[in-house]
Amino acid sequence: MTSGIAMNSIEFLSKNPFERLSLGDKLAIKQLGPDKPDIQIAQPTKVRGKTYIRTFSRGWYEKKKLLCGCSKRNTVFCFPCLLFRSSVCTGQGDVWSTTGVCDLKHFSERAKKHEQSKAHLQCAMKLAMLGQVNIATQLDEGYHVSVRNHNKEVDNNRHILSKLIDCIKFCGAFELALRGHDESGSSENPGVFLGLVDLVASLDSAMRDHLDTATVFKGTSNRIQNELLDCMLDVMQGHIIQDLKNTDFLAVQADETTDVSTHCQFVIVFRYIDKANTLQERLFSFKQIDGGTTAEAISKVLLQQLGVVCSAENDVDRERLIAQTFDGASVMRGGTGGVRRKIQDLYPNAHFIHCYAHQLNLVMQQAVSSVASVRCFFSDICGFCSFFSRSPKRTATLDNIVARRLPRVSQTRWNFHSRAVSTVYENKDVLLECFKTIRESPEFDSTSIREANGYCRMLTDKQFLFFLELFNTILSRVDILFAQLQRRQIDIVHGQRVLENFVNSMAKVRDSVPSIYAQYITDTPQRGGAPNLQRIGYEVCDTVIANAKDRFQFTGHLAAAVLVDSARFPEFADNFPKEVLAKAIHAYPVLNNARLQTELGLIYENPDFRACSSAMALFQLFCKNNLVEVFSETLKLLRIIITTPMTTAESERCFSTLKRIKTFLRNTMAQDRLNALAMLSIEKRLTHDIPDFNRLVIEKFAHMKDRRAKFLYK
């Protein structure tokens, strides 16, 4: 693929004549075979006074194996004649190799006549013999002996290369650096890759003989590593692209971060249902953005990658992209000039989803920032970890008495605040003992004693203990919701339920505020007015509930999820939700209104479907019971709902892998190598799921360029 254009496409071959290409490119095009895109030909025809519309059917590709098409010109070509037109095709045969056929009248007879022509047969013979030796040579006995010897050498070289690929796969899966500081033969630390190769050689005599005797190709250099990594990346991305082209609907998740070398890394993840009806979230690539994180720069990169899997110029492809999920940054979510708008201008069905995990963080930030005493409480919580992290002596005392370290606090992730609050809450008594020990010990300096004395007062303060109890209760609910939102399998229907459960649980926390207050405030109101604490508790809970209800509304295109919410099936059986159905059809025009209404009516009336807890459960039930054809439109709706991502959690997981791969000591890593290593780590299961993965990598490696070592069979 060159600049996003397939080498076997009409567009590529019209710009790059076949006879001018290298032998490697010619063989690659032969292996790809004819390009068979959808052709949009609608030809009105009158027969006996009646008007018919002739259209091109993809079935012609199966009937005539050598046909190829051009979706831009909407014409059909003969693949062998297109390749060898300059040397053979002349006269009327040129229409099949130059302009293409767009007239479907008597198409079958014209194709049959062309197949019987001398020019076509010559081109077909040239294509079949491309890469083969001539017939006379094949009949020679000496040639057969040389072929056997050649293929035996290829077998051995491929065996060695397969072992090297396994070593690279191992390093990639466990995020190990392949290269060492000194890779010379006398080095004591040559790196993990060479160490693995030596280990394999100790178990495999063929590998040991190769390493001891190889002069042409040894396979352990950094150049060979990079070439193998490129081939692995091509195979894995090719498999993902094929999956994405075969799926009915797909969604894109994207986010950006800064790596250790201060480059802006933009990650692209696709979510879809594969041919085995399994939900997948696949890393597609990391892209380095050099022009700054502007909407123009980001959307240019994203549209370029989207064009590889679903072209915006194809009406069918354009409708398959049904969601785009980003964080809440204005450059991403802007409705007029943001990335979401630029994507939706080309892909109208790509509805924007603001990551719900990010929204949960915003809900908690708004609840905490509105009250000064609560802000002070979390500032104090941050101080616990800082106090011990600044001194090894303090940390040793903490280890001896508490036997547990205090977690750091993040300013943006509330699950980190939750860990800090729960740790202090669960260990407040032993922490108090620890601070008293530091305060009373003569071994500590005056600063440590002064700060420890302050924490002792803090851990006995009624207001601090009230907030500690209250926020331990609140953040435990936030943790549950956060963990559920991070799940890959979560869909809109299930997400709606867990968010409702969260709001209900927060209402119960609000009801428990008086009991928490009474637990710590039993005497005369303290300075500042003790009743204020109870009011603050109510205020925090009310803010969380109000913001959750406001941010987690399932309106617009998300309202379609209500149609397959099994909890409401009994209600819908009596009163069909026509308004919600109308919203779903408006958001997703690909759905058939009449049929979908009929199918949903049957589902609502059948009590067997009411036990499904999520859209995925209902989808799997239909698939397992051979109901795919019966409820075809409902299956289409379920695919849309399941494919729509609620969070960018997978993107965040990719960033974690990025930071483990591109470290301070590996900060000059090239972008292609980073993509390959990230793919091997994040999508490690894919290397086992792709049939003959090593063989495919070897084929790509062998065709990459002319090599002195032999890897191709005769």
Side-chain angles (χ1 to χ4, degrees), residues 288-306:
Q288 186 173 306
I289 300 178
D290 297 322
T293 54
T294 62
E296 289 75 15
I298 293 175
S299 59
K300 181 180 178 181
V301 170
L302 186 52
L303 286 170
Q304 183 183 12
Q305 297 301 300
L306 285 172

Side-chain angles (χ1 to χ4, degrees), residues 105-281:
K105 188 175 182 179
H106 304 303
F107 181 78
S108 178
E109 291 80 358
R110 295 171 66 190
K112 186 175 181 180
K113 183 179 179 180
H114 174 72
E115 286 179 339
Q116 296 173 354
S117 67
K118 181 179 179 181
H120 170 77
L121 293 176
Q122 286 179 323
C123 292
M125 183 181 68
K126 283 179 173 290
L127 179 61
M129 294 298 296
L130 181 65
Q132 308 291 331
V133 296
N134 62 56
I135 297 173
T137 305
Q138 293 184 38
L139 296 175
D140 183 66
E141 180 60 31
Y143 170 76
H144 288 293
V145 174
S146 66
V147 167
R148 284 195 295 269
N149 293 335
H150 173 88
N151 289 344
K152 184 177 180 181
E153 184 178 351
V154 170
D155 281 336
N156 183 66
N157 288 343
R158 287 192 170 217
H159 172 76
I160 300 301
L161 196 57
S162 181
K163 296 298 182 183
L164 295 175
I165 292 170
D166 288 337
C167 292
I168 294 177
K169 281 161 56 178
F170 179 88
C171 293
F174 293 97
E175 298 160 359
L176 302 173
L178 275 75
R179 300 175 62 185
H181 176 67
D182 180 9
E183 296 185 344
S184 63
S186 59
S187 173
E188 294 183 356
N189 184 21
V192 177
F193 174 71
L194 291 181
L196 275 176
V197 171
D198 283 339
L199 176 63
V200 172
S202 67
L203 303 173
D204 189 318
S205 58
M207 175 65 86
R208 173 52 60 196
D209 292 341
H210 170 78
L211 293 178
D212 292 341
T213 61
T215 55
V216 174
F217 173 82
K218 194 170 185 179
T220 56
S221 68
N222 63 321
R223 180 177 57 82
I224 297 298
Q225 288 177 26
N226 289 334
E227 290 179 357
L228 286 174
L229 284 169
D230 289 343
C231 294
M232 291 181 186
L233 180 62
D234 285 346
V235 170
M236 297 176 80
Q237 278 189 338
H239 180 84
I240 294 172
I241 290 171
Q242 193 61 43
D243 270 0
L244 290 169
K245 288 186 175 181
N246 292 335
T247 192
D248 293 333
F249 304 103
L250 64 144
V252 63
Q253 304 173 43
D255 205 349
E256 57 88 17
T257 190
T258 303
D259 63 21
V260 68
S261 54
T262 66
H263 291 138
C264 178
Q265 295 287 353
F266 188 68
V267 66
I268 300 169
V269 175
F270 285 108
R271 180 181 170 105
Y272 62 96
I273 297 175
D274 64 14
K275 59 184 178 182
N277 294 323
T278 304
L279 180 64
Q280 302 288 357
E281 286 186 345

Side-chain angles (χ1 to χ4, degrees), residues 442-685:
E443 298 179 359
F444 289 93
D445 56 50
S446 59
T447 302
S448 299
I449 294 172
R450 183 179 66 253
E451 292 182 6
N453 189 44
Y455 285 113
C456 286
R457 289 196 299 270
M458 188 184 301
L459 287 170
T460 56
D461 180 68
K462 299 293 182 65
Q463 177 173 313
F464 179 84
L465 293 174
F466 168 78
F467 283 135
L468 187 64
E469 176 88 24
L470 176 65
F471 281 101
N472 181 65
T473 308
I474 292 174
L475 292 177
S476 63
R477 271 72 174 174
V478 174
D479 276 351
I480 294 172
L481 176 59
F482 191 80
Q484 290 172 321
L485 290 175
Q486 294 286 313
R487 292 175 56 198
R488 233 176 233 146
Q489 298 293 327
I490 192 168
D491 55 59
I492 303 173
V493 176
H494 185 57
Q496 219 170 359
R497 292 184 182 178
V498 299
L499 289 166
E500 288 174 1
N501 292 337
F502 172 72
V503 172
N504 293 334
S505 67
M506 284 303 305
K508 293 179 181 178
V509 173
R510 187 187 189 283
D511 294 338
S512 68
V513 168
S515 62
I516 298 174
Y517 173 78
Q519 183 178 348
Y520 294 101
I521 312 297
T522 56
D523 50 6
T524 305
Q526 51 185 327
R527 184 170 58 86
N532 286 339
L533 292 181
Q534 189 168 339
R535 178 185 57 78
I536 290 171
Y538 284 136
E539 184 178 344
V540 169
C541 294
D542 288 341
T543 304
V544 172
I545 293 171
N547 280 290
K549 288 181 178 179
D550 179 56
R551 287 186 172 275
F552 301 143
Q553 290 183 13
F554 289 81
T555 57
H557 65 98
L558 295 178
V562 176
L563 294 172
V564 290
D565 185 356
S566 59
R568 304 188 66 177
F569 284 0
E571 173 192 344
F572 293 158
D574 299 329
N575 184 17
F576 190 89
K578 292 185 178 181
E579 292 183 3
V580 179
L581 177 62
K583 290 180 181 179
I585 299 299
H586 177 73
Y588 306 107
V590 70
L591 297 171
N592 184 304
N593 190 356
R595 169 140 189 168
L596 180 59
Q597 183 171 347
T598 304
E599 291 178 5
L600 289 173
L602 290 173
I603 292 170
Y604 296 155
E605 294 171 2
N606 193 328
D608 295 337
F609 298 127
R610 297 176 183 177
C612 297
S613 60
S614 64
M616 176 58 79
L618 187 61
F619 176 79
Q620 291 175 342
L621 180 66
F622 286 152
C623 294
K624 289 179 181 177
N625 291 279
N626 299 319
L627 296 173
V628 175
E629 297 296 330
V630 178
F631 296 106
S632 58
E633 288 302 308
T634 307
L635 260 292
K636 196 180 292 184
L637 175 63
L638 286 169
R639 286 180 182 274
I640 290 173
I641 291 170
I642 294 168
T643 302
T644 302
M646 293 189 66
T647 67
T648 57
E650 187 64 24
S651 302
E652 301 290 346
R653 284 188 278 264
C654 292
F655 289 152
S656 299
T657 303
L658 168 69
K659 290 177 181 177
R660 292 193 298 269
I661 292 175
K662 192 170 184 179
T663 61
F664 176 76
L665 295 177
R666 304 163 72 186
N667 61 60
T668 59
M669 183 182 299
Q671 194 70 17
D672 288 341
R673 187 180 178 96
L674 170 63
N675 269 310
L677 291 174
M679 187 72 79
L680 287 173
S681 173
I682 297 168
E683 302 294 347
K684 57 175 71 72
R685 292 180 61 89

